[in-house]
Amino acid sequence: MSLRFYNTLSGRVEEFHPLEPPKVRMYTCGLTVYDYAHIGNYRTFVFQDILRRHLKYRGYELLHVMNLTDVDDKTIRNSQAAGTSLRDYTDKYIKAFEVDAQLLNLEAPEIVVRATDHIAAMVKLIETLEAKGFAYRSEGSIYFRVSQFRDYGKLSKLDLEGMRAGARVDSDEYDKANVRDFVLWKAAKEGEPSWETPLGRGRPGWHIECSAMSMKYLGETFDIHSGGSDLIFPHHENEIAQSEAATGKPFVRYWLHAEHLIVNGEKMSKSLGNFFTLRDLVAKGYKPAAIRYLLASVPFRKPLNFTFDGLHQAQQSIERLRNLRYRLTMEKFPAGESSVLQDRARTAVREFEEALDDNLNTAEALAAIFNLVRDANIAMDHGEFRDGDRPVFLDALDRWDRIFAVLEDNDQAKLTKLGFIKPLAKTAGDLIPRQDEAKAAQGDGYTSAVLTEALGEAEIETRIAERNAARRRGDFASADKIRSDLLAAGVILEDTKSGTRWKRK
RNA sequence: GGCGCGGUACCCGAGUGGUAAGGGAGAGGUCUGCAAAACCUUUAUACGGGAGUUCGAUUCUCCCCCGCGCCUCCA
């Protein structure tokens, strides 16, 4: 079966055929960089990452553009409150986002764009809309006349008549001819950032940046546009209106929207105290790989219920997969090959690929790999597994991990490299790791705050050697003491046939 | 009120017009100096409620209840 996606525009699952195969041109709405991103944001970004990885896996040449909105009411308000320039303020949160992306193994898009770097392209697009009669001016601002665009509402399928009845009082201070009209260009206000342009002095409206930047890099019609479901209206609806009004061509062929994340069955909000950034979770000791796994495990069109129990379950699930890989790497098997087993592995690969082809059904893709895990373990335990089967099974895991990206146990290394964790000096009394959640919560210097202090690798290896020496001479009391000390320091030991293995709790 | 997503065992969550994946958790076992871990086996007659269509519905239709999102700048 071919690759299929649910397209918000048609309301159906459709076969995916890019305009110019094997090229795929994709635009994703990234962050508005006024604060640290929260896990709801990352639900969408992990979905987009799975999407881009699978497209590449399927052999497409991907050109993916992601935007960062670095000028809007909130960035302006917060930067002023912080007493820094808009640029400096948004730089900080862009850097923080890049760090988070590394922790979550989010691949970097081919192109990342910032709104304020593309004012000229927006101005040009607005001029086109004015020339074609889709825009009008009012008190220095420029608006899009929705009634002029016949297809308005085709994405969100909103009942515009119904909207009129329930229309809110327009909170904007600008004058519009119709409440449905939206602003393309906002007249400069005293004390706010603005740009001197042929349109006059002002700043862009929210939606115009995505039309201008996507078309600049991807062309007037491109393949995929995605974002959170809340963006369907008004953001993406307005993008369509602006873009198609300006070009007269279809703007985007496949619209993919991720459903929202909720926490413990409730919506996430700061007032409920269930609002988490990635660093909040890291400070609580949760591993980024587990967070990625949890966010990836629920297909993108289903609401995702985020719980700490779920995070724990995700961590356990990852361990199950890593353990198979450990066996495949370290355990001794008889020479030879088993074509039956190798076929089994290839079948699992096909099942997981087909699951992802089916609108990125990650839950089914997980089932496919776990079924293989079980069968591989059975074969090993029954002595049926052969040395020559190793590469096929490792390849199956690796292929799966090209999409899911959670098998490599490098959270500790990444957290250390990024400054979240400080290696502990090798004093026995300091074995217990210290956490400083208060400092973490302050949120200053995202990469410099010390969240946890952890025992260094060399120290752990030394103690394991000491313990094994004690075991050899039958001094189990000493051996057990070392094991429990390490456990208190967050290090778990496992004695396997191929030696002592350790991992972080 | 309108539009959309959802309500599956203790928890998280696939899926199907013919009685339901996978993971976690629980129990038993193997291994181990002991543990832990790992692995194996296993547990539970789970499909929000009602009506209808059908030989047969969890899967289709209608109504109702509940949760979540959007309805002008929120992923």
Side-chain angles (χ1 to χ4, degrees), chain A residues 40 179-180 186 228 231 267 313 317 364 381 483 494:
Chain A
V179 286
R180 281 190 257 141
K186 292 187 174 189
L231 295 183
K267 68 174 169 181
Q313 294 180 11
S317 302
E364 276 206 346
D381 291 348
R483 183 170 65 196
E494 293 173 16

mmCIF file of all heavy atoms in Angstrom, chain A residues 40 179-180 186 228 231 267 313 317 364 381 483 494, chain B residues 14-15 23-24 33 35 37 39 69 72-75:
data_model
loop_
_atom_site.group_PDB
_atom_site.id
_atom_site.type_symbol
_atom_site.label_atom_id
_atom_site.label_comp_id
_atom_site.label_asym_id
_atom_site.label_seq_id
_atom_site.Cartn_x
_atom_site.Cartn_y
_atom_site.Cartn_z
ATOM 1 N N GLY A 40 3.109 20.380 25.113
ATOM 2 C CA GLY A 40 2.081 20.389 24.071
ATOM 3 C C GLY A 40 2.686 20.781 22.738
ATOM 4 O O GLY A 40 2.407 20.182 21.702
ATOM 5 N N VAL A 179 -15.807 42.083 10.910
ATOM 6 C CA VAL A 179 -15.108 41.394 12.001
ATOM 7 C C VAL A 179 -14.286 40.214 11.496
ATOM 8 O O VAL A 179 -13.307 39.818 12.109
ATOM 9 C CB VAL A 179 -16.076 40.878 13.090
ATOM 10 C CG1 VAL A 179 -16.583 42.017 13.922
ATOM 11 C CG2 VAL A 179 -17.195 40.070 12.490
ATOM 12 N N ARG A 180 -14.683 39.629 10.395
ATOM 13 C CA ARG A 180 -13.958 38.463 9.893
ATOM 14 C C ARG A 180 -12.632 38.862 9.247
ATOM 15 O O ARG A 180 -11.733 38.045 9.124
ATOM 16 C CB ARG A 180 -14.792 37.728 8.849
ATOM 17 C CG ARG A 180 -15.861 36.864 9.437
ATOM 18 C CD ARG A 180 -16.449 36.000 8.339
ATOM 19 N NE ARG A 180 -17.737 36.498 7.909
ATOM 20 C CZ ARG A 180 -18.143 36.511 6.640
ATOM 21 N NH1 ARG A 180 -17.349 36.097 5.684
ATOM 22 N NH2 ARG A 180 -19.332 36.953 6.336
ATOM 23 N N LYS A 186 0.155 45.940 10.537
ATOM 24 C CA LYS A 186 -0.316 46.757 11.655
ATOM 25 C C LYS A 186 0.427 48.079 11.695
ATOM 26 O O LYS A 186 1.670 48.095 11.701
ATOM 27 C CB LYS A 186 -0.083 46.036 12.981
ATOM 28 C CG LYS A 186 -0.924 44.810 13.179
ATOM 29 C CD LYS A 186 -0.735 44.263 14.591
ATOM 30 C CE LYS A 186 -1.702 43.108 14.841
ATOM 31 N NZ LYS A 186 -1.696 42.688 16.250
ATOM 32 N N GLY A 228 -0.284 22.438 14.754
ATOM 33 C CA GLY A 228 -1.254 21.970 15.735
ATOM 34 C C GLY A 228 -2.668 22.253 15.250
ATOM 35 O O GLY A 228 -2.893 23.135 14.423
ATOM 36 N N LEU A 231 -4.319 25.655 14.949
ATOM 37 C CA LEU A 231 -3.929 26.607 13.912
ATOM 38 C C LEU A 231 -4.841 26.548 12.687
ATOM 39 O O LEU A 231 -4.763 27.399 11.809
ATOM 40 C CB LEU A 231 -2.480 26.352 13.472
ATOM 41 C CG LEU A 231 -1.412 26.591 14.546
ATOM 42 C CD1 LEU A 231 -0.025 26.376 13.951
ATOM 43 C CD2 LEU A 231 -1.508 28.002 15.109
ATOM 44 N N LYS A 267 -7.159 19.892 30.330
ATOM 45 C CA LYS A 267 -6.336 20.694 29.454
ATOM 46 C C LYS A 267 -5.187 21.300 30.253
ATOM 47 O O LYS A 267 -5.324 21.577 31.449
ATOM 48 C CB LYS A 267 -7.157 21.772 28.753
ATOM 49 C CG LYS A 267 -7.683 22.860 29.641
ATOM 50 C CD LYS A 267 -8.351 23.908 28.763
ATOM 51 C CE LYS A 267 -9.140 24.890 29.597
ATOM 52 N NZ LYS A 267 -9.808 25.896 28.748
ATOM 53 N N GLN A 313 5.914 4.404 32.006
ATOM 54 C CA GLN A 313 5.650 3.282 31.109
ATOM 55 C C GLN A 313 6.494 3.392 29.845
ATOM 56 O O GLN A 313 6.995 2.392 29.322
ATOM 57 C CB GLN A 313 4.162 3.230 30.756
ATOM 58 C CG GLN A 313 3.280 2.913 31.950
ATOM 59 C CD GLN A 313 1.809 2.853 31.610
ATOM 60 O OE1 GLN A 313 1.419 2.852 30.449
ATOM 61 N NE2 GLN A 313 0.973 2.796 32.629
ATOM 62 N N SER A 317 9.189 0.731 28.406
ATOM 63 C CA SER A 317 9.060 0.185 27.056
ATOM 64 C C SER A 317 10.368 0.327 26.288
ATOM 65 O O SER A 317 10.785 -0.577 25.564
ATOM 66 C CB SER A 317 7.936 0.910 26.308
ATOM 67 O OG SER A 317 6.714 0.776 27.006
ATOM 68 N N GLU A 364 0.648 1.240 15.886
ATOM 69 C CA GLU A 364 0.794 -0.040 15.196
ATOM 70 C C GLU A 364 2.256 -0.340 14.894
ATOM 71 O O GLU A 364 2.681 -1.487 14.915
ATOM 72 C CB GLU A 364 -0.006 -0.032 13.890
ATOM 73 C CG GLU A 364 -1.452 -0.389 14.102
ATOM 74 C CD GLU A 364 -2.075 -0.993 12.852
ATOM 75 O OE1 GLU A 364 -1.454 -0.880 11.775
ATOM 76 O OE2 GLU A 364 -3.152 -1.574 12.977
ATOM 77 N N ASP A 381 16.063 -17.779 23.652
ATOM 78 C CA ASP A 381 15.914 -18.620 24.834
ATOM 79 C C ASP A 381 15.805 -20.092 24.461
ATOM 80 O O ASP A 381 16.173 -20.963 25.239
ATOM 81 C CB ASP A 381 14.673 -18.192 25.632
ATOM 82 C CG ASP A 381 14.873 -16.827 26.274
ATOM 83 O OD1 ASP A 381 16.023 -16.348 26.282
ATOM 84 O OD2 ASP A 381 13.895 -16.241 26.755
ATOM 85 N N ARG A 483 27.057 -2.203 45.457
ATOM 86 C CA ARG A 483 25.860 -2.178 44.610
ATOM 87 C C ARG A 483 24.798 -1.251 45.198
ATOM 88 O O ARG A 483 24.174 -0.465 44.473
ATOM 89 C CB ARG A 483 25.295 -3.588 44.456
ATOM 90 C CG ARG A 483 24.104 -3.649 43.524
ATOM 91 C CD ARG A 483 23.723 -5.071 43.190
ATOM 92 N NE ARG A 483 23.251 -5.795 44.370
ATOM 93 C CZ ARG A 483 23.144 -7.120 44.437
ATOM 94 N NH1 ARG A 483 23.522 -7.858 43.412
ATOM 95 N NH2 ARG A 483 22.714 -7.707 45.532
ATOM 96 N N GLU A 494 23.425 -4.626 36.721
ATOM 97 C CA GLU A 494 22.828 -5.904 36.317
ATOM 98 C C GLU A 494 23.965 -6.842 35.964
ATOM 99 O O GLU A 494 24.807 -6.516 35.133
ATOM 100 C CB GLU A 494 21.959 -5.717 35.069
ATOM 101 C CG GLU A 494 20.726 -4.883 35.294
ATOM 102 C CD GLU A 494 20.015 -4.590 33.981
ATOM 103 O OE1 GLU A 494 20.312 -5.270 32.980
ATOM 104 O OE2 GLU A 494 19.186 -3.676 33.971
ATOM 105 P P A B 14 -4.558 5.379 19.908
ATOM 106 O OP1 A B 14 -4.240 6.720 19.403
ATOM 107 O OP2 A B 14 -5.908 5.092 20.424
ATOM 108 O "O5'" A B 14 -4.198 4.358 18.758
ATOM 109 C "C5'" A B 14 -5.076 3.339 18.408
ATOM 110 C "C4'" A B 14 -4.303 2.244 17.746
ATOM 111 O "O4'" A B 14 -4.013 1.237 18.726
ATOM 112 C "C3'" A B 14 -5.090 1.559 16.649
ATOM 113 O "O3'" A B 14 -4.886 2.196 15.409
ATOM 114 C "C2'" A B 14 -4.523 0.149 16.684
ATOM 115 O "O2'" A B 14 -3.283 0.086 16.003
ATOM 116 C "C1'" A B 14 -4.266 -0.037 18.176
ATOM 117 N N9 A B 14 -5.393 -0.625 18.907
ATOM 118 C C8 A B 14 -6.146 -0.031 19.891
ATOM 119 N N7 A B 14 -7.070 -0.807 20.399
ATOM 120 C C5 A B 14 -6.924 -1.985 19.687
ATOM 121 C C6 A B 14 -7.605 -3.210 19.744
ATOM 122 N N6 A B 14 -8.601 -3.442 20.579
ATOM 123 N N1 A B 14 -7.220 -4.187 18.891
ATOM 124 C C2 A B 14 -6.203 -3.933 18.049
ATOM 125 N N3 A B 14 -5.483 -2.825 17.899
ATOM 126 C C4 A B 14 -5.897 -1.885 18.765
ATOM 127 P P G B 15 -6.106 2.565 14.522
ATOM 128 O OP1 G B 15 -5.583 3.108 13.257
ATOM 129 O OP2 G B 15 -7.083 3.317 15.329
ATOM 130 O "O5'" G B 15 -6.735 1.123 14.232
ATOM 131 C "C5'" G B 15 -5.963 0.124 13.576
ATOM 132 C "C4'" G B 15 -6.700 -1.185 13.677
ATOM 133 O "O4'" G B 15 -6.733 -1.620 15.056
ATOM 134 C "C3'" G B 15 -8.165 -1.108 13.270
ATOM 135 O "O3'" G B 15 -8.296 -1.219 11.866
ATOM 136 C "C2'" G B 15 -8.749 -2.307 14.014
ATOM 137 O "O2'" G B 15 -8.436 -3.525 13.374
ATOM 138 C "C1'" G B 15 -7.976 -2.233 15.330
ATOM 139 N N9 G B 15 -8.652 -1.434 16.359
ATOM 140 C C8 G B 15 -8.440 -0.107 16.639
ATOM 141 N N7 G B 15 -9.169 0.339 17.631
ATOM 142 C C5 G B 15 -9.899 -0.768 18.031
ATOM 143 C C6 G B 15 -10.862 -0.907 19.072
ATOM 144 O O6 G B 15 -11.264 -0.058 19.873
ATOM 145 N N1 G B 15 -11.371 -2.195 19.118
ATOM 146 C C2 G B 15 -11.004 -3.224 18.288
ATOM 147 N N2 G B 15 -11.613 -4.391 18.509
ATOM 148 N N3 G B 15 -10.106 -3.113 17.325
ATOM 149 C C4 G B 15 -9.598 -1.877 17.255
ATOM 150 P P G B 23 3.809 -6.589 24.299
ATOM 151 O OP1 G B 23 5.069 -7.327 24.339
ATOM 152 O OP2 G B 23 2.577 -7.184 24.874
ATOM 153 O "O5'" G B 23 4.016 -5.177 24.986
ATOM 154 C "C5'" G B 23 5.061 -4.329 24.536
ATOM 155 C "C4'" G B 23 4.961 -3.003 25.238
ATOM 156 O "O4'" G B 23 3.708 -2.357 24.862
ATOM 157 C "C3'" G B 23 4.878 -3.073 26.748
ATOM 158 O "O3'" G B 23 6.155 -3.247 27.332
ATOM 159 C "C2'" G B 23 4.265 -1.724 27.074
ATOM 160 O "O2'" G B 23 5.206 -0.675 26.898
ATOM 161 C "C1'" G B 23 3.211 -1.626 25.961
ATOM 162 N N9 G B 23 1.957 -2.240 26.421
ATOM 163 C C8 G B 23 1.438 -3.467 26.049
ATOM 164 N N7 G B 23 0.307 -3.738 26.646
ATOM 165 C C5 G B 23 0.070 -2.645 27.466
ATOM 166 C C6 G B 23 -1.004 -2.371 28.356
ATOM 167 O O6 G B 23 -1.989 -3.064 28.616
ATOM 168 N N1 G B 23 -0.842 -1.133 28.987
ATOM 169 C C2 G B 23 0.213 -0.285 28.785
ATOM 170 N N2 G B 23 0.183 0.845 29.493
ATOM 171 N N3 G B 23 1.217 -0.527 27.956
ATOM 172 C C4 G B 23 1.084 -1.708 27.333
ATOM 173 P P G B 24 6.295 -4.088 28.688
ATOM 174 O OP1 G B 24 7.736 -4.188 28.976
ATOM 175 O OP2 G B 24 5.460 -5.302 28.599
ATOM 176 O "O5'" G B 24 5.615 -3.125 29.753
ATOM 177 C "C5'" G B 24 6.179 -1.845 30.015
ATOM 178 C "C4'" G B 24 5.262 -1.069 30.927
ATOM 179 O "O4'" G B 24 3.973 -0.910 30.278
ATOM 180 C "C3'" G B 24 4.915 -1.737 32.243
ATOM 181 O "O3'" G B 24 5.950 -1.592 33.198
ATOM 182 C "C2'" G B 24 3.669 -0.963 32.643
ATOM 183 O "O2'" G B 24 3.987 0.325 33.107
ATOM 184 C "C1'" G B 24 2.973 -0.849 31.284
ATOM 185 N N9 G B 24 2.043 -1.963 31.103
ATOM 186 C C8 G B 24 2.159 -3.051 30.274
ATOM 187 N N7 G B 24 1.149 -3.879 30.376
ATOM 188 C C5 G B 24 0.328 -3.314 31.336
ATOM 189 C C6 G B 24 -0.908 -3.749 31.881
ATOM 190 O O6 G B 24 -1.553 -4.766 31.617
ATOM 191 N N1 G B 24 -1.388 -2.858 32.838
ATOM 192 C C2 G B 24 -0.765 -1.702 33.225
ATOM 193 N N2 G B 24 -1.389 -0.974 34.167
ATOM 194 N N3 G B 24 0.380 -1.278 32.721
ATOM 195 C C4 G B 24 0.867 -2.123 31.797
ATOM 196 P P G B 33 25.835 -17.716 40.604
ATOM 197 O OP1 G B 33 27.245 -17.345 40.456
ATOM 198 O OP2 G B 33 25.365 -19.034 40.119
ATOM 199 O "O5'" G B 33 25.385 -17.561 42.118
ATOM 200 C "C5'" G B 33 25.597 -18.645 43.033
ATOM 201 C "C4'" G B 33 25.442 -18.139 44.425
ATOM 202 O "O4'" G B 33 26.533 -17.221 44.719
ATOM 203 C "C3'" G B 33 24.190 -17.288 44.665
ATOM 204 O "O3'" G B 33 23.093 -18.128 44.929
ATOM 205 C "C2'" G B 33 24.594 -16.464 45.869
ATOM 206 O "O2'" G B 33 24.469 -17.200 47.070
ATOM 207 C "C1'" G B 33 26.073 -16.210 45.593
ATOM 208 N N9 G B 33 26.349 -14.914 44.978
ATOM 209 C C8 G B 33 26.888 -14.679 43.742
ATOM 210 N N7 G B 33 27.074 -13.408 43.485
ATOM 211 C C5 G B 33 26.625 -12.759 44.628
ATOM 212 C C6 G B 33 26.585 -11.380 44.933
ATOM 213 O O6 G B 33 26.937 -10.419 44.247
ATOM 214 N N1 G B 33 26.046 -11.154 46.201
ATOM 215 C C2 G B 33 25.624 -12.135 47.050
ATOM 216 N N2 G B 33 25.137 -11.739 48.215
ATOM 217 N N3 G B 33 25.666 -13.440 46.777
ATOM 218 C C4 G B 33 26.178 -13.675 45.551
ATOM 219 P P A B 35 17.377 -14.532 45.913
ATOM 220 O OP1 A B 35 16.141 -14.894 46.620
ATOM 221 O OP2 A B 35 17.644 -15.037 44.547
ATOM 222 O "O5'" A B 35 17.575 -12.957 45.895
ATOM 223 C "C5'" A B 35 16.709 -12.110 45.298
ATOM 224 C "C4'" A B 35 17.269 -10.710 45.473
ATOM 225 O "O4'" A B 35 18.724 -10.702 45.416
ATOM 226 C "C3'" A B 35 16.852 -9.793 44.351
ATOM 227 O "O3'" A B 35 15.552 -9.307 44.594
ATOM 228 C "C2'" A B 35 17.916 -8.703 44.433
ATOM 229 O "O2'" A B 35 17.664 -7.824 45.507
ATOM 230 C "C1'" A B 35 19.167 -9.537 44.749
ATOM 231 N N9 A B 35 19.891 -9.950 43.539
ATOM 232 C C8 A B 35 20.002 -11.194 43.001
ATOM 233 N N7 A B 35 20.746 -11.250 41.921
ATOM 234 C C5 A B 35 21.149 -9.936 41.734
ATOM 235 C C6 A B 35 21.959 -9.322 40.760
ATOM 236 N N6 A B 35 22.531 -9.986 39.759
ATOM 237 N N1 A B 35 22.161 -8.000 40.867
ATOM 238 C C2 A B 35 21.582 -7.345 41.879
ATOM 239 N N3 A B 35 20.802 -7.807 42.860
ATOM 240 C C4 A B 35 20.625 -9.126 42.731
ATOM 241 P P A B 37 13.532 -5.673 39.319
ATOM 242 O OP1 A B 37 12.532 -4.599 39.273
ATOM 243 O OP2 A B 37 13.130 -7.073 39.546
ATOM 244 O "O5'" A B 37 14.393 -5.633 37.978
ATOM 245 C "C5'" A B 37 14.994 -4.413 37.549
ATOM 246 C "C4'" A B 37 15.992 -4.713 36.465
ATOM 247 O "O4'" A B 37 17.010 -5.590 36.993
ATOM 248 C "C3'" A B 37 15.437 -5.476 35.272
ATOM 249 O "O3'" A B 37 14.796 -4.610 34.353
ATOM 250 C "C2'" A B 37 16.703 -6.082 34.694
ATOM 251 O "O2'" A B 37 17.477 -5.119 34.015
ATOM 252 C "C1'" A B 37 17.431 -6.488 35.980
ATOM 253 N N9 A B 37 17.089 -7.851 36.393
ATOM 254 C C8 A B 37 16.197 -8.240 37.357
ATOM 255 N N7 A B 37 16.110 -9.543 37.494
ATOM 256 C C5 A B 37 16.993 -10.041 36.556
ATOM 257 C C6 A B 37 17.365 -11.352 36.198
ATOM 258 N N6 A B 37 16.859 -12.433 36.775
ATOM 259 N N1 A B 37 18.278 -11.494 35.221
ATOM 260 C C2 A B 37 18.777 -10.395 34.637
ATOM 261 N N3 A B 37 18.512 -9.115 34.892
ATOM 262 C C4 A B 37 17.606 -9.007 35.868
ATOM 263 P P C B 39 13.014 -7.967 28.822
ATOM 264 O OP1 C B 39 12.863 -7.273 27.537
ATOM 265 O OP2 C B 39 12.140 -7.630 29.960
ATOM 266 O "O5'" C B 39 12.923 -9.528 28.578
ATOM 267 C "C5'" C B 39 13.745 -10.151 27.613
ATOM 268 C "C4'" C B 39 13.687 -11.634 27.787
ATOM 269 O "O4'" C B 39 14.266 -11.992 29.076
ATOM 270 C "C3'" C B 39 12.282 -12.220 27.862
ATOM 271 O "O3'" C B 39 11.702 -12.369 26.586
ATOM 272 C "C2'" C B 39 12.556 -13.545 28.557
ATOM 273 O "O2'" C B 39 13.176 -14.463 27.674
ATOM 274 C "C1'" C B 39 13.573 -13.107 29.604
ATOM 275 N N1 C B 39 12.910 -12.695 30.864
ATOM 276 C C2 C B 39 12.474 -13.682 31.750
ATOM 277 O O2 C B 39 12.665 -14.864 31.463
ATOM 278 N N3 C B 39 11.864 -13.315 32.894
ATOM 279 C C4 C B 39 11.671 -12.022 33.177
ATOM 280 N N4 C B 39 11.062 -11.716 34.314
ATOM 281 C C5 C B 39 12.091 -10.991 32.281
ATOM 282 C C6 C B 39 12.694 -11.372 31.147
ATOM 283 P P G B 69 -9.645 22.198 26.275
ATOM 284 O OP1 G B 69 -8.588 22.987 26.927
ATOM 285 O OP2 G B 69 -11.077 22.459 26.593
ATOM 286 O "O5'" G B 69 -9.488 22.310 24.703
ATOM 287 C "C5'" G B 69 -8.234 22.042 24.116
ATOM 288 C "C4'" G B 69 -8.356 22.098 22.618
ATOM 289 O "O4'" G B 69 -9.257 21.069 22.151
ATOM 290 C "C3'" G B 69 -8.969 23.366 22.060
ATOM 291 O "O3'" G B 69 -8.038 24.431 22.028
ATOM 292 C "C2'" G B 69 -9.367 22.901 20.667
ATOM 293 O "O2'" G B 69 -8.238 22.770 19.825
ATOM 294 C "C1'" G B 69 -9.907 21.515 20.972
ATOM 295 N N9 G B 69 -11.363 21.542 21.206
ATOM 296 C C8 G B 69 -12.037 21.474 22.403
ATOM 297 N N7 G B 69 -13.338 21.531 22.261
ATOM 298 C C5 G B 69 -13.530 21.636 20.894
ATOM 299 C C6 G B 69 -14.723 21.724 20.133
ATOM 300 O O6 G B 69 -15.887 21.733 20.523
ATOM 301 N N1 G B 69 -14.454 21.827 18.766
ATOM 302 C C2 G B 69 -13.197 21.831 18.207
ATOM 303 N N2 G B 69 -13.141 21.948 16.885
ATOM 304 N N3 G B 69 -12.077 21.743 18.909
ATOM 305 C C4 G B 69 -12.320 21.648 20.233
ATOM 306 P P U B 72 -13.253 33.971 17.471
ATOM 307 O OP1 U B 72 -13.195 33.352 18.796
ATOM 308 O OP2 U B 72 -14.254 35.010 17.187
ATOM 309 O "O5'" U B 72 -11.847 34.585 17.085
ATOM 310 C "C5'" U B 72 -10.614 34.110 17.663
ATOM 311 C "C4'" U B 72 -9.517 34.967 17.095
ATOM 312 O "O4'" U B 72 -9.685 34.913 15.659
ATOM 313 C "C3'" U B 72 -9.654 36.460 17.502
ATOM 314 O "O3'" U B 72 -8.808 36.869 18.565
ATOM 315 C "C2'" U B 72 -9.350 37.236 16.216
ATOM 316 O "O2'" U B 72 -8.051 37.772 16.170
ATOM 317 C "C1'" U B 72 -9.502 36.197 15.117
ATOM 318 N N1 U B 72 -10.589 36.465 14.164
ATOM 319 C C2 U B 72 -10.208 37.118 13.013
ATOM 320 O O2 U B 72 -9.065 37.497 12.818
ATOM 321 N N3 U B 72 -11.210 37.325 12.116
ATOM 322 C C4 U B 72 -12.528 36.940 12.239
ATOM 323 O O4 U B 72 -13.301 37.177 11.336
ATOM 324 C C5 U B 72 -12.840 36.271 13.470
ATOM 325 C C6 U B 72 -11.879 36.068 14.371
ATOM 326 P P C B 73 -7.624 36.383 19.213
ATOM 327 O OP1 C B 73 -8.021 35.299 20.139
ATOM 328 O OP2 C B 73 -6.859 37.521 19.780
ATOM 329 O "O5'" C B 73 -6.765 35.736 18.033
ATOM 330 C "C5'" C B 73 -6.117 34.488 18.233
ATOM 331 C "C4'" C B 73 -4.688 34.588 17.762
ATOM 332 O "O4'" C B 73 -4.601 35.536 16.690
ATOM 333 C "C3'" C B 73 -3.714 35.094 18.833
ATOM 334 O "O3'" C B 73 -3.144 33.955 19.447
ATOM 335 C "C2'" C B 73 -2.674 35.885 18.061
ATOM 336 O "O2'" C B 73 -1.493 35.158 17.802
ATOM 337 C "C1'" C B 73 -3.337 36.142 16.698
ATOM 338 N N1 C B 73 -3.522 37.564 16.377
ATOM 339 C C2 C B 73 -2.419 38.278 15.901
ATOM 340 O O2 C B 73 -1.341 37.705 15.826
ATOM 341 N N3 C B 73 -2.587 39.566 15.551
ATOM 342 C C4 C B 73 -3.768 40.131 15.653
ATOM 343 N N4 C B 73 -3.886 41.391 15.292
ATOM 344 C C5 C B 73 -4.910 39.428 16.160
ATOM 345 C C6 C B 73 -4.735 38.157 16.495
ATOM 346 P P C B 74 -2.054 33.838 20.482
ATOM 347 O OP1 C B 74 -2.815 33.713 21.717
ATOM 348 O OP2 C B 74 -0.993 34.882 20.419
ATOM 349 O "O5'" C B 74 -1.388 32.465 20.008
ATOM 350 C "C5'" C B 74 -0.434 31.790 20.844
ATOM 351 C "C4'" C B 74 -1.040 30.523 21.371
ATOM 352 O "O4'" C B 74 -2.478 30.665 21.342
ATOM 353 C "C3'" C B 74 -0.794 29.265 20.552
ATOM 354 O "O3'" C B 74 0.366 28.627 21.008
ATOM 355 C "C2'" C B 74 -2.000 28.406 20.832
ATOM 356 O "O2'" C B 74 -1.730 27.494 21.877
ATOM 357 C "C1'" C B 74 -3.050 29.396 21.302
ATOM 358 N N1 C B 74 -4.232 29.412 20.416
ATOM 359 C C2 C B 74 -5.445 28.900 20.913
ATOM 360 O O2 C B 74 -5.467 28.460 22.067
ATOM 361 N N3 C B 74 -6.527 28.903 20.125
ATOM 362 C C4 C B 74 -6.448 29.394 18.903
ATOM 363 N N4 C B 74 -7.550 29.371 18.160
ATOM 364 C C5 C B 74 -5.234 29.920 18.375
ATOM 365 C C6 C B 74 -4.142 29.907 19.157
ATOM 366 P P A B 75 1.698 28.657 20.136
ATOM 367 O OP1 A B 75 2.794 28.888 21.070
ATOM 368 O OP2 A B 75 1.533 29.509 18.949
ATOM 369 O "O5'" A B 75 1.725 27.149 19.650
ATOM 370 C "C5'" A B 75 2.723 26.751 18.725
ATOM 371 C "C4'" A B 75 2.210 25.465 18.090
ATOM 372 O "O4'" A B 75 2.210 24.426 19.086
ATOM 373 C "C3'" A B 75 0.766 25.599 17.628
ATOM 374 O "O3'" A B 75 0.704 25.985 16.274
ATOM 375 C "C2'" A B 75 0.145 24.241 17.902
ATOM 376 O "O2'" A B 75 0.174 23.407 16.773
ATOM 377 C "C1'" A B 75 1.055 23.636 18.959
ATOM 378 N N9 A B 75 0.394 23.550 20.272
ATOM 379 C C8 A B 75 0.062 24.553 21.125
ATOM 380 N N7 A B 75 -0.518 24.135 22.237
ATOM 381 C C5 A B 75 -0.547 22.753 22.085
ATOM 382 C C6 A B 75 -1.034 21.723 22.911
ATOM 383 N N6 A B 75 -1.587 21.927 24.109
ATOM 384 N N1 A B 75 -0.908 20.450 22.473
ATOM 385 C C2 A B 75 -0.345 20.237 21.282
ATOM 386 N N3 A B 75 0.141 21.127 20.415
ATOM 387 C C4 A B 75 0.009 22.376 20.889
#
